[in-house]
Amino acid sequence: MSEEIKIYFLNVGQGDTTFIKLPNNEILMIDFHHDRGGIHLINFLKDFTKDNNDKIDYLIVTHPDADHVKGIDELENNDLNYDLLFDSTLRKDKEEGQEYPEYDAYMEFLKKAEKEGKAKYIERDIEYHPDLKFDWGGITFFTPDKDYRKEKLDNGTINRQSVIVQIDFHGTKTLFAADTDLHTYKTDIEDWSDFEFSMLESTILQASHHGSRSFFKDAEDDDAYMDAMDAIDPEKVFISVGKDNPHDLPYKDAIDIYKENKRNIYRTDKAGSVIMTLKYKNDTVSIDIDDKNKIDSDYTWEDDDDKDDNGDKSKALRTSAPAILPSHDRSA
């Protein structure tokens, strides 16, 4: 008997979106970023959900920054459905005069999910969320450490507490680090999970914060914090990052650390969308990487798709706001 998981690290520009086909033909998505900087995500989803009745079974939002939720409200506008939405509980503290159109759109999307009984609120798991436990393994959440729905958080706290997702497929684990930073692992996780016997250990890592150095250090001249890296100990590292992005991500010193630790690195700004297939057969899991696929060429943006009846670009594209990064990650 053989079964497989296909993980699509999609080139969505300066943001995160991972599309995953589970062994039972269900579909899981982690984060959502529909923007001209990458592939036309809606058209991709229309094609890749056809065999699942145009449905995403599980939709996980690690935190409500624009580069992780932009365009999520376009799902229902395009007859795409979902069963469950797993929300981080994180809520933004809006600065006076600052607009967050993507955040507001996500909050409306979440409010509708609540009314329809589709919303789930993420708390830490010991092992496998009860709604995400399968014969082949399951999915564990490492953050947040409490329900933040009644609190308004600054951007640094939202990044630090963003949801870490770990998929365990027959003992081969993939860790999605969202926008977490070194403080997440020093302060929020270390006391809860002994690094010496770490549940964080994973063969595959989606690097935090688009390859930012904040996973290792606060500033360029700080010593790297290696406990978390040693605990995860990945063989392969995937970085979702936009080409020629204004934040100069991924940072060279972060890449150097991954290379020094002999990690195979795949970047969406260089390779485009990357497909990883985990196949279980004869009690072993094999890993196949396809970074020469046609996803990017098949799902380019066409001008006619992006205009309203008046010939203007859609509101979803006009309301773009830059991702807010921690102060130590902002480029001059």
Side-chain angles (χ1 to χ4, degrees), residues 3-7 9 169 171-174 202-205 234-238 264 266 274-281 284-290:
E3 57 184 350
E4 66 180 32
I5 280 181
K6 278 189 177 293
I7 301 178
F9 297 93
F169 177 63
T172 296
K173 297 178 181 180
T174 304
S202 302
T203 303
I204 300 105
L205 169 68
E235 296 174 8
K236 304 178 189 304
V237 176
F238 292 82
N264 294 320
Y266 302 87
V274 181
I275 306 170
M276 179 177 70
T277 303
L278 305 178
K279 182 173 288 188
Y280 176 74
K281 188 175 183 180
T284 61
V285 176
S286 62
I287 302 174
D288 178 72
I289 307 292
D290 176 7

mmCIF file of all heavy atoms in Angstrom, residues 3-7 9 169 171-174 202-205 234-238 264 266 274-281 284-290:
data_model
loop_
_atom_site.group_PDB
_atom_site.id
_atom_site.type_symbol
_atom_site.label_atom_id
_atom_site.label_comp_id
_atom_site.label_asym_id
_atom_site.label_seq_id
_atom_site.Cartn_x
_atom_site.Cartn_y
_atom_site.Cartn_z
ATOM 1 N N GLU A 3 0.676 5.752 -0.149
ATOM 2 C CA GLU A 3 -0.127 6.969 -0.108
ATOM 3 C C GLU A 3 0.824 8.151 -0.089
ATOM 4 O O GLU A 3 2.015 8.006 0.204
ATOM 5 C CB GLU A 3 -1.057 6.993 1.098
ATOM 6 C CG GLU A 3 -0.369 6.867 2.439
ATOM 7 C CD GLU A 3 -1.360 6.794 3.602
ATOM 8 O OE1 GLU A 3 -2.556 7.034 3.375
ATOM 9 O OE2 GLU A 3 -0.917 6.499 4.726
ATOM 10 N N GLU A 4 0.309 9.324 -0.435
ATOM 11 C CA GLU A 4 1.212 10.465 -0.539
ATOM 12 C C GLU A 4 0.512 11.763 -0.153
ATOM 13 O O GLU A 4 -0.718 11.875 -0.172
ATOM 14 C CB GLU A 4 1.768 10.578 -1.962
ATOM 15 C CG GLU A 4 0.737 10.906 -3.031
ATOM 16 C CD GLU A 4 1.346 11.001 -4.417
ATOM 17 O OE1 GLU A 4 2.330 10.281 -4.699
ATOM 18 O OE2 GLU A 4 0.825 11.805 -5.223
ATOM 19 N N ILE A 5 1.361 12.715 0.218
ATOM 20 C CA ILE A 5 0.953 14.107 0.411
ATOM 21 C C ILE A 5 1.716 14.937 -0.613
ATOM 22 O O ILE A 5 2.919 14.752 -0.805
ATOM 23 C CB ILE A 5 1.294 14.595 1.834
ATOM 24 C CG1 ILE A 5 0.259 14.114 2.839
ATOM 25 C CG2 ILE A 5 1.381 16.109 1.891
ATOM 26 C CD1 ILE A 5 0.509 14.584 4.258
ATOM 27 N N LYS A 6 1.013 15.856 -1.273
ATOM 28 C CA LYS A 6 1.665 16.809 -2.163
ATOM 29 C C LYS A 6 1.571 18.194 -1.542
ATOM 30 O O LYS A 6 0.464 18.668 -1.236
ATOM 31 C CB LYS A 6 1.017 16.812 -3.549
ATOM 32 C CG LYS A 6 1.498 15.716 -4.471
ATOM 33 C CD LYS A 6 0.981 15.935 -5.889
ATOM 34 C CE LYS A 6 1.513 14.888 -6.843
ATOM 35 N NZ LYS A 6 2.957 15.001 -7.054
ATOM 36 N N ILE A 7 2.713 18.833 -1.332
ATOM 37 C CA ILE A 7 2.765 20.165 -0.737
ATOM 38 C C ILE A 7 3.255 21.147 -1.802
ATOM 39 O O ILE A 7 4.355 21.005 -2.334
ATOM 40 C CB ILE A 7 3.688 20.191 0.491
ATOM 41 C CG1 ILE A 7 3.190 19.191 1.551
ATOM 42 C CG2 ILE A 7 3.761 21.604 1.072
ATOM 43 C CD1 ILE A 7 4.054 19.105 2.786
ATOM 44 N N PHE A 9 4.435 24.727 -2.436
ATOM 45 C CA PHE A 9 4.914 26.013 -1.926
ATOM 46 C C PHE A 9 4.753 27.001 -3.078
ATOM 47 O O PHE A 9 5.604 27.088 -3.973
ATOM 48 C CB PHE A 9 6.372 25.909 -1.483
ATOM 49 C CG PHE A 9 6.603 24.956 -0.340
ATOM 50 C CD1 PHE A 9 6.954 23.634 -0.581
ATOM 51 C CD2 PHE A 9 6.463 25.371 0.975
ATOM 52 C CE1 PHE A 9 7.172 22.748 0.464
ATOM 53 C CE2 PHE A 9 6.676 24.502 2.031
ATOM 54 C CZ PHE A 9 7.026 23.183 1.776
ATOM 55 N N PHE A 169 3.504 13.190 8.693
ATOM 56 C CA PHE A 169 3.059 12.184 7.731
ATOM 57 C C PHE A 169 3.900 10.925 7.924
ATOM 58 O O PHE A 169 5.050 10.870 7.525
ATOM 59 C CB PHE A 169 3.209 12.719 6.302
ATOM 60 C CG PHE A 169 2.847 11.741 5.215
ATOM 61 C CD1 PHE A 169 1.560 11.250 5.096
ATOM 62 C CD2 PHE A 169 3.810 11.313 4.305
ATOM 63 C CE1 PHE A 169 1.230 10.353 4.089
ATOM 64 C CE2 PHE A 169 3.495 10.414 3.298
ATOM 65 C CZ PHE A 169 2.200 9.929 3.196
ATOM 66 N N GLY A 171 5.513 9.948 10.404
ATOM 67 C CA GLY A 171 6.764 10.230 11.099
ATOM 68 C C GLY A 171 7.665 11.228 10.412
ATOM 69 O O GLY A 171 8.644 11.688 11.014
ATOM 70 N N THR A 172 7.389 11.586 9.162
ATOM 71 C CA THR A 172 8.139 12.633 8.474
ATOM 72 C C THR A 172 7.390 13.942 8.651
ATOM 73 O O THR A 172 6.238 14.074 8.227
ATOM 74 C CB THR A 172 8.321 12.313 6.977
ATOM 75 O OG1 THR A 172 9.106 11.127 6.847
ATOM 76 C CG2 THR A 172 9.026 13.453 6.259
ATOM 77 N N LYS A 173 8.055 14.919 9.298
ATOM 78 C CA LYS A 173 7.363 16.135 9.705
ATOM 79 C C LYS A 173 7.796 17.348 8.879
ATOM 80 O O LYS A 173 8.967 17.495 8.535
ATOM 81 C CB LYS A 173 7.622 16.396 11.189
ATOM 82 C CG LYS A 173 7.074 15.294 12.088
ATOM 83 C CD LYS A 173 7.380 15.550 13.549
ATOM 84 C CE LYS A 173 6.845 14.410 14.425
ATOM 85 N NZ LYS A 173 7.127 14.630 15.856
ATOM 86 N N THR A 174 6.810 18.197 8.587
ATOM 87 C CA THR A 174 7.038 19.465 7.900
ATOM 88 C C THR A 174 6.565 20.578 8.815
ATOM 89 O O THR A 174 5.423 20.564 9.289
ATOM 90 C CB THR A 174 6.269 19.523 6.569
ATOM 91 O OG1 THR A 174 6.637 18.401 5.750
ATOM 92 C CG2 THR A 174 6.592 20.806 5.812
ATOM 93 N N SER A 202 11.788 18.436 12.682
ATOM 94 C CA SER A 202 11.085 18.276 11.416
ATOM 95 C C SER A 202 12.090 18.130 10.275
ATOM 96 O O SER A 202 13.104 18.836 10.244
ATOM 97 C CB SER A 202 10.181 19.489 11.140
ATOM 98 O OG SER A 202 9.234 19.670 12.186
ATOM 99 N N THR A 203 11.779 17.260 9.349
ATOM 100 C CA THR A 203 12.656 17.049 8.195
ATOM 101 C C THR A 203 12.626 18.240 7.251
ATOM 102 O O THR A 203 13.619 18.579 6.624
ATOM 103 C CB THR A 203 12.225 15.780 7.434
ATOM 104 O OG1 THR A 203 12.248 14.674 8.340
ATOM 105 C CG2 THR A 203 13.149 15.486 6.271
ATOM 106 N N ILE A 204 11.451 18.886 7.162
ATOM 107 C CA ILE A 204 11.260 20.008 6.231
ATOM 108 C C ILE A 204 10.825 21.231 7.019
ATOM 109 O O ILE A 204 9.981 21.160 7.911
ATOM 110 C CB ILE A 204 10.190 19.668 5.168
ATOM 111 C CG1 ILE A 204 10.600 18.442 4.364
ATOM 112 C CG2 ILE A 204 9.954 20.865 4.242
ATOM 113 C CD1 ILE A 204 9.850 17.195 4.731
ATOM 114 N N LEU A 205 11.414 22.383 6.684
ATOM 115 C CA LEU A 205 11.068 23.647 7.324
ATOM 116 C C LEU A 205 10.693 24.676 6.267
ATOM 117 O O LEU A 205 11.441 24.894 5.317
ATOM 118 C CB LEU A 205 12.260 24.164 8.141
ATOM 119 C CG LEU A 205 12.151 25.604 8.673
ATOM 120 C CD1 LEU A 205 11.066 25.709 9.736
ATOM 121 C CD2 LEU A 205 13.499 26.081 9.232
ATOM 122 N N PRO A 234 16.191 20.654 10.312
ATOM 123 C CA PRO A 234 15.629 20.241 9.016
ATOM 124 C C PRO A 234 16.699 19.841 8.009
ATOM 125 O O PRO A 234 17.848 20.288 8.076
ATOM 126 C CB PRO A 234 14.904 21.494 8.551
ATOM 127 C CG PRO A 234 15.727 22.607 9.122
ATOM 128 C CD PRO A 234 16.205 22.111 10.464
ATOM 129 N N GLU A 235 16.305 19.002 7.060
ATOM 130 C CA GLU A 235 17.167 18.672 5.923
ATOM 131 C C GLU A 235 16.922 19.633 4.764
ATOM 132 O O GLU A 235 17.832 19.933 3.993
ATOM 133 C CB GLU A 235 16.901 17.241 5.454
ATOM 134 C CG GLU A 235 17.252 16.169 6.465
ATOM 135 C CD GLU A 235 16.841 14.790 6.001
ATOM 136 O OE1 GLU A 235 16.424 14.642 4.818
ATOM 137 O OE2 GLU A 235 16.923 13.842 6.799
ATOM 138 N N LYS A 236 15.668 20.097 4.637
ATOM 139 C CA LYS A 236 15.290 20.957 3.518
ATOM 140 C C LYS A 236 14.589 22.195 4.052
ATOM 141 O O LYS A 236 13.774 22.112 4.973
ATOM 142 C CB LYS A 236 14.378 20.201 2.547
ATOM 143 C CG LYS A 236 14.989 18.907 2.015
ATOM 144 C CD LYS A 236 14.043 18.169 1.097
ATOM 145 C CE LYS A 236 14.565 16.775 0.753
ATOM 146 N NZ LYS A 236 15.898 16.805 0.154
ATOM 147 N N VAL A 237 14.906 23.345 3.435
ATOM 148 C CA VAL A 237 14.319 24.616 3.847
ATOM 149 C C VAL A 237 13.673 25.278 2.638
ATOM 150 O O VAL A 237 14.312 25.428 1.585
ATOM 151 C CB VAL A 237 15.383 25.560 4.445
ATOM 152 C CG1 VAL A 237 14.774 26.920 4.773
ATOM 153 C CG2 VAL A 237 16.005 24.943 5.702
ATOM 154 N N PHE A 238 12.408 25.658 2.782
ATOM 155 C CA PHE A 238 11.680 26.359 1.729
ATOM 156 C C PHE A 238 11.429 27.786 2.179
ATOM 157 O O PHE A 238 11.016 28.028 3.320
ATOM 158 C CB PHE A 238 10.352 25.659 1.443
ATOM 159 C CG PHE A 238 10.508 24.303 0.816
ATOM 160 C CD1 PHE A 238 10.778 23.190 1.601
ATOM 161 C CD2 PHE A 238 10.411 24.137 -0.557
ATOM 162 C CE1 PHE A 238 10.939 21.936 1.033
ATOM 163 C CE2 PHE A 238 10.569 22.891 -1.142
ATOM 164 C CZ PHE A 238 10.835 21.783 -0.345
ATOM 165 N N ASN A 264 19.356 22.012 2.315
ATOM 166 C CA ASN A 264 18.984 22.264 0.933
ATOM 167 C C ASN A 264 17.937 23.367 0.923
ATOM 168 O O ASN A 264 16.908 23.259 1.595
ATOM 169 C CB ASN A 264 18.421 21.002 0.282
ATOM 170 C CG ASN A 264 19.460 19.914 0.143
ATOM 171 O OD1 ASN A 264 20.608 20.182 -0.186
ATOM 172 N ND2 ASN A 264 19.074 18.682 0.408
ATOM 173 N N TYR A 266 15.270 26.016 -1.046
ATOM 174 C CA TYR A 266 14.443 26.271 -2.222
ATOM 175 C C TYR A 266 13.724 27.601 -1.996
ATOM 176 O O TYR A 266 13.092 27.795 -0.966
ATOM 177 C CB TYR A 266 13.424 25.145 -2.427
ATOM 178 C CG TYR A 266 14.062 23.784 -2.573
ATOM 179 C CD1 TYR A 266 14.349 23.009 -1.445
ATOM 180 C CD2 TYR A 266 14.393 23.277 -3.827
ATOM 181 C CE1 TYR A 266 14.943 21.765 -1.572
ATOM 182 C CE2 TYR A 266 14.991 22.030 -3.959
ATOM 183 C CZ TYR A 266 15.262 21.284 -2.827
ATOM 184 O OH TYR A 266 15.859 20.047 -2.942
ATOM 185 N N VAL A 274 7.172 25.542 -5.989
ATOM 186 C CA VAL A 274 7.885 24.270 -5.813
ATOM 187 C C VAL A 274 6.899 23.242 -5.256
ATOM 188 O O VAL A 274 6.133 23.541 -4.332
ATOM 189 C CB VAL A 274 9.082 24.425 -4.850
ATOM 190 C CG1 VAL A 274 9.830 23.097 -4.706
ATOM 191 C CG2 VAL A 274 10.027 25.523 -5.342
ATOM 192 N N ILE A 275 6.926 22.034 -5.820
ATOM 193 C CA ILE A 275 6.050 20.960 -5.363
ATOM 194 C C ILE A 275 6.898 19.909 -4.658
ATOM 195 O O ILE A 275 7.883 19.414 -5.210
ATOM 196 C CB ILE A 275 5.307 20.290 -6.533
ATOM 197 C CG1 ILE A 275 4.551 21.325 -7.362
ATOM 198 C CG2 ILE A 275 4.340 19.216 -6.010
ATOM 199 C CD1 ILE A 275 4.000 20.772 -8.666
ATOM 200 N N MET A 276 6.519 19.571 -3.444
ATOM 201 C CA MET A 276 7.182 18.502 -2.709
ATOM 202 C C MET A 276 6.186 17.358 -2.508
ATOM 203 O O MET A 276 5.076 17.566 -2.016
ATOM 204 C CB MET A 276 7.680 19.000 -1.355
ATOM 205 C CG MET A 276 8.368 17.922 -0.522
ATOM 206 S SD MET A 276 9.022 18.556 1.047
ATOM 207 C CE MET A 276 7.491 18.883 1.928
ATOM 208 N N THR A 277 6.577 16.153 -2.902
ATOM 209 C CA THR A 277 5.736 14.977 -2.729
ATOM 210 C C THR A 277 6.359 14.058 -1.695
ATOM 211 O O THR A 277 7.522 13.659 -1.816
ATOM 212 C CB THR A 277 5.574 14.206 -4.051
ATOM 213 O OG1 THR A 277 5.043 15.079 -5.049
ATOM 214 C CG2 THR A 277 4.635 13.022 -3.880
ATOM 215 N N LEU A 278 5.593 13.764 -0.648
ATOM 216 C CA LEU A 278 5.985 12.782 0.352
ATOM 217 C C LEU A 278 5.202 11.506 0.070
ATOM 218 O O LEU A 278 3.968 11.520 0.095
ATOM 219 C CB LEU A 278 5.676 13.277 1.764
ATOM 220 C CG LEU A 278 6.265 14.633 2.178
ATOM 221 C CD1 LEU A 278 5.821 14.983 3.589
ATOM 222 C CD2 LEU A 278 7.775 14.633 2.079
ATOM 223 N N LYS A 279 5.901 10.422 -0.216
ATOM 224 C CA LYS A 279 5.236 9.160 -0.556
ATOM 225 C C LYS A 279 5.600 8.085 0.468
ATOM 226 O O LYS A 279 6.777 7.849 0.752
ATOM 227 C CB LYS A 279 5.635 8.696 -1.960
ATOM 228 C CG LYS A 279 4.935 7.403 -2.402
ATOM 229 C CD LYS A 279 5.227 7.076 -3.859
ATOM 230 C CE LYS A 279 4.507 8.021 -4.783
ATOM 231 N NZ LYS A 279 4.619 7.594 -6.204
ATOM 232 N N TYR A 280 4.562 7.467 1.008
ATOM 233 C CA TYR A 280 4.748 6.404 2.003
ATOM 234 C C TYR A 280 4.532 5.052 1.333
ATOM 235 O O TYR A 280 3.475 4.782 0.761
ATOM 236 C CB TYR A 280 3.755 6.583 3.150
ATOM 237 C CG TYR A 280 3.805 5.477 4.180
ATOM 238 C CD1 TYR A 280 4.853 5.392 5.086
ATOM 239 C CD2 TYR A 280 2.787 4.526 4.254
ATOM 240 C CE1 TYR A 280 4.895 4.384 6.046
ATOM 241 C CE2 TYR A 280 2.815 3.515 5.207
ATOM 242 C CZ TYR A 280 3.875 3.452 6.096
ATOM 243 O OH TYR A 280 3.917 2.447 7.040
ATOM 244 N N LYS A 281 5.554 4.205 1.414
ATOM 245 C CA LYS A 281 5.477 2.861 0.834
ATOM 246 C C LYS A 281 6.486 1.966 1.542
ATOM 247 O O LYS A 281 7.616 2.377 1.809
ATOM 248 C CB LYS A 281 5.769 2.900 -0.672
ATOM 249 C CG LYS A 281 5.514 1.579 -1.387
ATOM 250 C CD LYS A 281 5.695 1.730 -2.889
ATOM 251 C CE LYS A 281 5.373 0.434 -3.615
ATOM 252 N NZ LYS A 281 5.552 0.574 -5.087
ATOM 253 N N THR A 284 8.385 3.278 4.647
ATOM 254 C CA THR A 284 9.336 4.390 4.513
ATOM 255 C C THR A 284 8.665 5.543 3.763
ATOM 256 O O THR A 284 7.735 5.349 2.979
ATOM 257 C CB THR A 284 10.610 3.971 3.755
ATOM 258 O OG1 THR A 284 10.252 3.536 2.440
ATOM 259 C CG2 THR A 284 11.339 2.856 4.490
ATOM 260 N N VAL A 285 9.171 6.745 4.018
ATOM 261 C CA VAL A 285 8.674 7.943 3.334
ATOM 262 C C VAL A 285 9.778 8.493 2.439
ATOM 263 O O VAL A 285 10.885 8.781 2.917
ATOM 264 C CB VAL A 285 8.227 9.023 4.343
ATOM 265 C CG1 VAL A 285 7.806 10.298 3.606
ATOM 266 C CG2 VAL A 285 7.073 8.514 5.199
ATOM 267 N N SER A 286 9.490 8.607 1.157
ATOM 268 C CA SER A 286 10.433 9.218 0.224
ATOM 269 C C SER A 286 10.001 10.650 -0.056
ATOM 270 O O SER A 286 8.819 10.999 0.050
ATOM 271 C CB SER A 286 10.489 8.425 -1.085
ATOM 272 O OG SER A 286 9.220 8.417 -1.729
ATOM 273 N N ILE A 287 10.967 11.480 -0.417
ATOM 274 C CA ILE A 287 10.703 12.898 -0.683
ATOM 275 C C ILE A 287 11.153 13.230 -2.101
ATOM 276 O O ILE A 287 12.315 12.992 -2.465
ATOM 277 C CB ILE A 287 11.445 13.800 0.319
ATOM 278 C CG1 ILE A 287 11.043 13.455 1.754
ATOM 279 C CG2 ILE A 287 11.162 15.272 0.020
ATOM 280 C CD1 ILE A 287 11.834 14.214 2.811
ATOM 281 N N ASP A 288 10.235 13.783 -2.883
ATOM 282 C CA ASP A 288 10.558 14.205 -4.251
ATOM 283 C C ASP A 288 10.286 15.702 -4.368
ATOM 284 O O ASP A 288 9.227 16.183 -3.955
ATOM 285 C CB ASP A 288 9.718 13.429 -5.268
ATOM 286 C CG ASP A 288 10.002 13.877 -6.698
ATOM 287 O OD1 ASP A 288 11.078 13.564 -7.205
ATOM 288 O OD2 ASP A 288 9.131 14.563 -7.284
ATOM 289 N N ILE A 289 11.238 16.439 -4.930
ATOM 290 C CA ILE A 289 11.102 17.881 -5.102
ATOM 291 C C ILE A 289 11.013 18.205 -6.587
ATOM 292 O O ILE A 289 11.869 17.797 -7.379
ATOM 293 C CB ILE A 289 12.306 18.645 -4.507
ATOM 294 C CG1 ILE A 289 12.545 18.241 -3.047
ATOM 295 C CG2 ILE A 289 12.103 20.149 -4.654
ATOM 296 C CD1 ILE A 289 11.489 18.666 -2.093
ATOM 297 N N ASP A 290 9.981 18.944 -6.974
ATOM 298 C CA ASP A 290 9.814 19.390 -8.356
ATOM 299 C C ASP A 290 9.851 20.916 -8.377
ATOM 300 O O ASP A 290 8.877 21.573 -8.009
ATOM 301 C CB ASP A 290 8.481 18.875 -8.915
ATOM 302 C CG ASP A 290 8.201 19.384 -10.335
ATOM 303 O OD1 ASP A 290 9.095 20.013 -10.926
ATOM 304 O OD2 ASP A 290 7.070 19.161 -10.827
#
